[in-house]
Amino acid sequence: MNDSNIAIDVSKCLACGNCVDRCIMDNLRLVLPPCRQASLLDINYQGIFRLTAQGKMTEAARELRRCTPFGGFLAAWGDASASRVCSRGHNGGSLNFTGILAYLEDAVYGPAGRLPRSHKKAVVAGSDEATLQAAYSLRMGGHSVTVLSVSSCPSVEGVPASVLEKTMTMLKGMDIAFETTDAFNVEELCKNFDAVILTGTAAEGMSADEYGLVRDNLFAVISDDTQSPLQAMAGAVRTAHAARNLLEGFSVDYEADQRVARGLERFHGLFEEQEDSPEAAPVVCSGDGFTEEEVKAEASRCLGCGRPIERNMTCWYCLPCEIVCPTQALHVRIPYLIR
Amino acid sequence: MKLQAMETDFLIIGGGSAGCIAAMHALQLNPDLNVTIFEKSDIVYGGSIARGMDALNIVAIPGQTSAELYLESVRAMTAGVVDAGPSYVMAERSYALLKEMESWGVTFPKDENGQYKTLKYHVKGKFQTAMDEPELKAMLVKRALDLGTRPVNRVMALRLLMDNGRVAGAVGMNVRTGQMVVCKAKTVLVASGGVSRFTLPNSEYLYGVYDYPGNTGDGFVMALRAGAGVTGMEYTQRTMLIKDTNMPLLAICVSRGGRVLDCEGNILMEGEVTNTNVMNEAFTKGRGPVHIQLSHLPEERIREIEHMLFTTERPVNERFFAGRHIDFRKQDIELWPTEYYLCGGHGLAGIRVNERAETAVPGLYAAGDVASVAKQHLTGAFVFGEVAAEQAVKYVAEAPDTSINENDVAAVKAELDERFTARNRDIDVHDLERKVRRMVADYLVSPKNAHKFELWKYWSKTFREDIKHVAVHNGHELSKLYEVENILLCADCSAVAGDFRKESRWGESHYRSDYPQRDDANWKCHVVIKMKDGKLNAEKVRVSELNEEVSL
C-alpha cells in the first residue's frame, strides 16, 4: 500500500505514531486500529502484538507500559471492548487479547522514563483503580503526587493480590507517595496542594463538569456502579488530563479533543492485502497459559490494521519520520514532482 | 470553540534554532523563569535546520580571523547596507558559541595540526567552520526541555497582544484542532523564520522550497502589526541549488575542491565560493544551466562530500541522486535557480533589531531568520537567541506585570471563528497560495519596475477579497489560510520597499529596469517599512556605524 510520498510496510508498522508526532509539516495522521480505537485506555495492541509475534517480549512489554502501567490489571480483566472489534473477528476469530497480555504480564513492571520537570504538587484521594490511574497520569506530567486513602491501602477488584502488589511497587518506584489517613478535609487539601482529585467513594455526592472540574483546583472522577473498572479508569484519565492542564498552565479543556490534537484518525477499513490474508484460527492454549511458541503464533495473527497516512500532502522529504520509526516500516519517497 | 488561556514570563514564538537556544539560555540565567515556546510544528525537529548542519557558517577564530575582518566582509557582501553593531557582536561572540556547542558534544572536525577545519565562503577570511552533527537540533531541544522549557507544539502564533505600547503576549491557534491559544507574557521573542514560500519553485510543488516550508513570514506580520519596523524586504533573493530539489550543496562541494562550470565548460568558481552572482549571471545570459563538477577529485574527497550530503544536512539527497542515476564520479550536478525567498539568515530581510536583539516595540525581541542581522546564518540565530534571552531575563526582572486587552483577543477570535465555521465557500486554499506565489514571481522579483509594482496593487487587493471565499474544512487548512495571508502581507512589504528603492543594488536581488544603476549617494541606506492604521509606509534609515545606536 503506497501513498504518494510515504510508503508504509504494513507488515512491520507498529502504529506507534512516532512519525506522526515528529512530522514538522503536519503532514501525517495515524489511522487507529479498531482495537486501540475501542480500547478505553488507548492501548496500542497492534504494536504490542507485532513485537510479541517477533519474540521481542521485552519490547512488547515496554510498548504496553508506554500506554499504561496497569498491564497486569488488563491481563486479569481482559479488554472486552478492544477484542470485540478485532478485524480477525471476521477471519477466524478475534485474537486472544487476555492470553497475550497474561503472557507479557511478568515483564510489564519497570521504571518510568524521563519525566518533565515540575514544582507542582497534586493529591489524589481514594483507594481504587481510578485513584491509581489518576495518580499515574498526573505523575507523567512530572508533578509530585500523593495518594491519600482512608483507613486502608488501595484495593482493586478482580485483580490478584500479587499483581496489585507489583503494580504498587512500580508506582512507588515512580515516586508516587501513598499515605493512609482516618479522614481528610477537602478544603485543607485544596489549600495545601496545587491540584486535588477525588476518586471512588471520596467523590461521592460531588458534581463536576465534563472535564471533571468541581471548582478552582478541585477535580472529581465521578463514577457509578454501572461502570466497568476500565470505564472508571478512562474517566480518571480524562480528569487527570484536565488537572494536568491546570498544573501546567493551560485551561482545563486544552486538547480535550485528544484524538484530533494528537493526529489520530478513525479506522477507515482494511487495506486490500489485509483482507486477502489467509484465514487463521485462534491458537489454543495447551496449558494454563500460552507457551512462547503459542503466544508468538497467536500474536502473529494480528492483521496490523493501524498505520500512518499522508493526510495533507505537505511532505518536505526531511526524514525525521523515517528516523524515529522503530521498525523501519516507513520509507519517504520523494514527491513525484521533485523525483 | 473555547479559548485556551495561559500565562508565562518569556514567550518564544518559534522553536527552531534561535528559539530553542533562547529558552535554554534564559533558564540558565534564571532557572525560576517560566519560559514557553509556541511551535507551529513539533519542537524536536522543527525549524530550518530540521536535523543537522554541515558547518557553523560564521566563526571568527582568534588568531586567524577577527570580528573587524568579518565586518569588512559582510559590508562587501551587502553593498554597504548593513548595521555594524549587530554583525560585529555576532562575530565577536561566535568563537565562544563554538566552544559552548562543543561542550554539548557537537563535533567540529580538526585538521592534522589540531586546527578547526575552516572553509572560504565569505569574500574575506575563512569564517565557515566545518561541523559534523546530524542531530544538532534534537540535542539543543533536549537541553532546553531539561531546564524546564514548556513547549506548546502545533500552535501557530497569529497576533501579538499589546499593553500601552509594550508587548503583552500573543494569540495563536492549534493547527490541528483550530483551537485558539492566548498567552499572556511579560516579554516575547519572535523567532519564527523567514518567508520560504514566497514564489513557486521550478518543480511547482508548493513545499519543494530550499528553506523550511513552514516559514511563511508569520513573525514579520506580527511584528509589523505591533508597530515594529521591517527592513530588506526588497532583497528578493534566490540561489543556485540542485535542480528540482533545491537542496543545498554549493558550499559543501565547492569548498572541497568542486568546480562550478557554465554550459560551455568555463570555470566560474573552484575551491572557494567567491561570488554566487557569476552563476546567476551565466544563467540569465543563456550560459546555463551551470554544473558542479566533482569527477576530477580523488575518490577520498568525493566520499567526504557524499558523507556530508547524505548524512548531515539533507540525507534525502542520496535517494534523489540515486533516483536520477547521478554518480558524482561520472556525472556533474545540474544547478538551477531556486524560488525567491526572504530571509535574514541568507539575505537582508528581517525585523529591525539592534545589537541587543531589541525591536522598536518595548519587550519585543527578534532573532534568527526573521531578524535583520544581515546574512547571519546559523551563527546569528544562535548568538542572537542568546542575546535576546539575556535581554528578556533583565526585562522580566524590571518590568511591571502586563494585562491583556480582551477586545483585541475577541477580534482575533471573531475572525478565526468566522473562517472556521463559514460554509459555501469555493476557493481552495492551496490554489490561492499557488496563485499568490505566481503573481509574486510575476511582479515583485527582478527585473523590477514601477509598472509591475503598480500591477501588483490590483492583485494584492483582489487576493484580500479572495481570502474571504476560501473554504476551510479543518484546523490544518485554517492554518494554511493564515499562512497565505502572511505571505501576502510580506509580498506587499516587498512591493512597497522595492518600489521605494529607486536604484539597483545586490545584483539580481534588486534589479530595476527603470533605475538600472546603483546610486550610493541616495540609496546606501535601509528601507524600513512600518504599518500605521493598516497602511504600509516606507522610509529611508541611515546605515549605522560601530558604537552607534541602530535606529529601529
Side-chain angles (χ1 to χ4, degrees):
Chain A
M1 174 67 200
N2 287 332
D3 285 308
S4 61
N5 298 324
I6 60 162
I8 307 296
D9 183 342
V10 290
S11 70
K12 288 183 183 166
C13 178
L14 301 181
C16 62
N18 286 358
C19 52
V20 178
D21 289 342
R22 292 289 93 85
C23 175
I24 64 174
M25 292 301 295
D26 192 30
N27 187 25
L28 306 179
R29 295 289 182 268
L30 184 72
V31 173
L32 292 170
C35 49
R36 179 170 168 194
Q37 192 171 298
S39 157
L40 291 162
L41 294 187
D42 194 29
I43 309 294
N44 178 22
Y45 287 114
Q46 176 174 329
I48 296 162
F49 294 169
R50 279 271 156 88
L51 291 164
T52 305
Q54 293 163 23
K56 295 178 180 162
M57 304 308 174
T58 316
E59 286 86 345
R62 198 185 299 141
E63 181 64 18
L64 175 54
R65 191 162 68 240
R66 196 172 76 121
C67 306
T68 178
F70 304 109
F73 296 6
L74 283 170
W77 296 328
D79 192 340
S81 50
S83 59
R84 194 182 306 128
V85 294
C86 175
S87 296
R88 273 289 183 197
H90 308 289
N91 185 339
S94 296
L95 268 72
N96 183 345
F97 281 53
T98 316
I100 301 172
L101 288 170
Y103 183 85
L104 294 173
E105 192 254 325
D106 271 345
V108 90
Y109 308 98
R114 203 166 62 96
L115 297 176
R117 206 184 64 149
S118 162
H119 302 299
K120 299 288 169 100
K121 292 187 307 177
V123 64
V124 183
S127 57
D128 61 12
E129 59 278 357
T131 318
L132 300 180
Q133 175 67 61
Y136 171 77
S137 298
L138 285 170
R139 183 71 191 114
M140 284 296 103
H143 315 295
S144 61
V145 178
T146 305
V147 172
L148 198 56
S149 306
V150 176
S151 56
S152 69
C153 292
S155 64
V156 179
E157 255 177 70
V159 170
S162 62
V163 167
L164 182 60
E165 196 189 315
K166 282 186 278 186
T167 306
M168 291 292 289
T169 307
M170 176 166 61
L171 294 176
K172 285 172 189 165
M174 292 174 187
D175 292 329
I176 296 174
F178 287 87
E179 290 175 12
T180 53
T181 176
D182 294 335
F184 59 82
N185 178 316
V186 173
E187 296 309 319
E188 283 290 303
L189 292 181
C190 288
K191 224 181 290 166
N192 296 334
F193 290 89
D194 299 303
V196 178
I197 298 184
L198 307 178
T199 62
T201 49
E204 270 171 20
M206 289 284 176
S207 62
D209 69 8
E210 58 191 300
Y211 310 108
L213 181 67
V214 178
R215 62 172 183 269
D216 305 320
N217 63 343
L218 179 63
F219 297 82
V221 182
I222 313 286
S223 56
D224 60 58
D225 296 343
T226 63
Q227 282 188 333
S228 72
L230 279 175
Q231 281 169 329
M233 287 170 83
V237 170
R238 272 195 304 278
T239 304
H241 177 79
R244 265 184 66 172
N245 274 339
L246 178 81
L247 294 175
E248 290 158 29
F250 298 91
S251 33
V252 291
D253 66 328
Y254 189 55
E255 298 197 338
D257 187 353
Q258 281 193 59
R259 286 196 175 163
V260 178
R262 291 165 63 192
L264 308 178
E265 287 194 358
R266 298 184 70 80
F267 182 58
H268 311 308
L270 285 176
F271 300 103
E272 239 171 74
E273 62 264 43
Q274 291 166 322
E275 281 176 345
D276 297 342
S277 306
E279 199 158 304
V283 175
V284 182
C285 273
S286 51
D288 280 347
F290 280 130
T291 63
E292 184 176 344
E293 283 317 304
E294 286 167 354
V295 82
K296 278 161 74 176
E298 176 63 7
S300 65
R301 294 176 62 238
C302 173
L303 289 171
C305 309
R307 51 160 289 174
I309 55 158
E310 190 181 27
R311 168 57 67 213
N312 293 319
M313 306 306 272
T314 51
C315 180
W316 189 45
Y317 36 97
C318 55
L319 305 188
C321 53
E322 202 174 296
I323 288 149
V324 299
C325 177
T327 58
Q328 286 84 50
L330 187 152
H331 178 83
V332 173
R333 306 166 79 209
I334 300 174
Y336 176 71
L337 289 172
I338 304 283
R339 231 177 281 157
Chain B
M1 208 179 312
K2 282 213 280 185
L3 282 181
Q4 156 67 34
M6 54 200 298
E7 246 187 271
T8 194
D9 296 322
F10 183 21
L11 174 65
I12 298 170
I13 296 174
S17 311
C20 287
I21 204 166
M24 181 184 103
H25 198 53
L27 286 160
Q28 284 169 341
L29 295 170
N30 178 1
D32 295 327
L33 204 67
N34 185 313
V35 180
T36 302
I37 299 183
F38 275 8
E39 169 51 46
K40 182 153 75 169
S41 68
D42 178 81
I43 195 164
V44 179
Y45 294 108
S48 281
I49 64 170
R51 292 187 60 215
M53 274 283 280
D54 61 298
L56 193 55
N57 312 65
I58 301 150
V59 186
I61 299 174
Q64 294 184 23
T65 50
S66 64
E68 285 76 16
L69 185 67
Y70 175 71
L71 204 52
E72 279 182 45
S73 185
V74 75
R75 276 178 173 146
M77 291 169 84
T78 56
V81 182
V82 59
D83 292 310
S87 290
Y88 186 87
V89 164
M90 174 182 70
E92 207 182 22
R93 292 179 60 147
S94 58
Y95 189 65
L97 171 71
L98 178 147
K99 286 291 170 195
E100 188 192 341
M101 289 169 73
E102 272 188 335
S103 78
W104 309 345
V106 176
T107 312
F108 290 93
K110 291 184 176 170
D111 63 17
E112 54 277 12
N113 303 319
Q115 301 291 318
Y116 291 110
K117 283 192 184 173
T118 53
L119 307 162
K120 185 126 194 276
Y121 180 77
H122 294 81
V123 289
K124 291 179 181 176
K126 285 180 157 186
F127 290 99
Q128 177 145 318
T129 305
M131 175 168 71
D132 190 1
E133 189 45 72
E135 288 295 327
L136 178 63
K137 180 69 203 302
M139 285 164 85
L140 174 62
V141 171
K142 186 178 176 299
R143 301 179 85 79
L145 297 185
D146 281 350
L147 288 168
T149 304
R150 170 173 58 171
V152 184
N153 286 321
R154 309 288 172 198
V155 168
M156 170 185 180
L158 303 176
R159 297 280 182 273
L160 293 171
L161 294 168
M162 304 299 290
D163 175 15
N164 288 317
R166 77 175 260 212
V167 75
V171 184
M173 63 162 281
N174 186 306
V175 301
R176 283 179 179 161
T177 61
Q179 186 175 15
M180 208 169 111
V181 182
V182 180
C183 184
K184 188 173 114 171
K186 289 185 181 148
T187 175
V188 177
L189 167 64
V190 175
S192 58
V195 191
S196 309
R197 278 154 50 199
F198 194 54
T199 66
L200 290 170
N202 274 344
S203 64
E204 299 194 354
Y205 175 55
L206 288 178
Y207 311 102
V209 294
Y210 161 44
D211 200 4
Y212 169 51
N215 294 346
T216 48
D218 310 352
F220 290 83
V221 169
M222 284 184 281
L224 268 174
R225 286 171 169 271
V230 302
T231 193
M233 300 302 270
E234 71 278 30
Y235 193 93
T236 47
Q237 67 180 133
R238 60 177 182 172
T239 175
M240 285 277 178
L241 294 178
I242 305 170
K243 177 171 160 53
D244 296 342
T245 71
N246 293 325
M247 287 188 277
L249 87 172
L250 189 66
I252 294 171
C253 293
V254 175
S255 58
R256 286 176 177 80
R259 285 178 189 143
V260 181
L261 310 171
D262 66 11
C263 73
E264 292 157 6
N266 301 311
I267 298 177
L268 305 178
M269 278 192 267
E270 183 172 8
E272 289 179 358
V273 180
T274 41
N275 183 3
T276 48
N277 274 336
V278 295
M279 296 189 300
N280 289 326
E281 211 181 285
F283 189 88
T284 44
K285 299 257 163 74
R287 284 185 289 117
V290 299
H291 291 84
I292 291 186
Q293 188 183 65
L294 299 175
S295 54
H296 61 288
L297 295 175
E299 173 66 20
E300 189 190 298
R301 192 50 72 84
I302 294 181
R303 288 220 182 126
E304 184 190 331
I305 291 170
E306 284 179 337
H307 174 77
M308 296 309 294
L309 284 178
F310 299 164
T311 61
T312 303
E313 183 141 341
R314 294 297 304 273
V316 78
N317 268 318
E318 185 170 15
R319 217 161 283 177
F320 171 75
F321 285 116
R324 292 208 172 173
H325 309 287
I326 291 169
D327 179 347
F328 301 156
R329 288 154 196 81
K330 296 186 195 113
Q331 283 99 0
D332 294 348
I333 304 162
E334 194 178 330
L335 303 184
W336 279 65
T338 62
E339 69 290 341
Y340 289 85
Y341 63 106
L342 302 172
C343 159
H346 298 116
L348 302 187
I351 301 168
R352 287 285 286 166
V353 291
N354 58 20
E355 63 267 32
R356 296 180 298 280
E358 291 164 333
T359 68
V361 177
L364 180 67
Y365 303 89
D369 283 348
V370 76
S372 71
V373 180
K375 298 187 181 280
Q376 58 182 306
H377 294 272
L378 182 61
T379 306
F382 279 161
V383 167
F384 279 89
E386 293 194 338
V387 169
E390 288 155 15
Q391 296 300 322
V393 167
K394 255 192 259 173
Y395 190 89
V396 169
E398 291 160 8
D401 217 358
T402 46
S403 65
I404 280 177
N405 182 340
E406 295 302 332
N407 291 336
D408 294 346
V409 175
V412 184
K413 180 159 171 39
E415 183 188 68
L416 186 141
D417 285 348
E418 198 272 336
R419 289 180 173 184
F420 206 10
T421 54
R423 294 286 169 263
N424 301 322
R425 297 192 168 176
D426 57 358
I427 296 176
D428 181 284
V429 71
H430 306 96
D431 282 350
L432 175 70
E433 175 172 348
R434 193 176 294 282
K435 193 164 170 182
V436 167
R437 289 169 65 185
R438 186 159 59 77
M439 294 301 174
V440 170
D442 287 346
Y443 298 127
L444 302 184
V445 301
S446 300
K448 309 176 184 181
N449 60 47
H451 182 58
K452 286 184 179 176
F453 291 127
E454 200 53 42
L455 291 171
W456 165 258
K457 285 179 189 163
Y458 166 81
W459 283 107
S460 169
K461 227 167 91 189
T462 305
F463 287 137
R464 290 220 151 60
E465 195 55 38
D466 291 349
I467 283 173
K468 297 176 191 157
H469 299 278
V470 169
V472 167
H473 303 95
N474 52 45
H476 180 84
E477 287 184 357
L478 181 59
S479 72
K480 283 278 167 286
L481 179 56
Y482 278 102
E483 288 184 345
V484 179
E485 198 177 29
N486 290 344
I487 294 168
L488 186 58
L489 187 63
C490 290
D492 282 333
C493 288
S494 187
V496 170
D499 195 11
F500 188 72
R501 183 181 283 281
K502 293 186 171 45
E503 63 146 1
S504 292
R505 193 176 284 266
W506 310 305
E508 205 207 21
S509 298
H510 180 70
Y511 172 72
R512 286 196 55 162
S513 57
D514 47 355
Y515 298 95
Q517 299 303 319
R518 177 163 146 182
D519 176 3
D520 276 348
N522 290 306
W523 292 103
K524 198 175 166 187
C525 62
H526 302 286
V527 172
V528 174
I529 306 257
K530 287 192 178 173
M531 193 181 221
K532 205 171 174 213
D533 305 324
K535 210 176 159 299
L536 299 173
N537 301 302
E539 58 175 341
K540 287 185 184 184
V541 171
R542 63 179 285 271
V543 170
S544 61
E545 300 299 322
L546 212 51
N547 302 318
E548 187 187 359
E549 270 297 310
V550 173
S551 151
L552 298 170

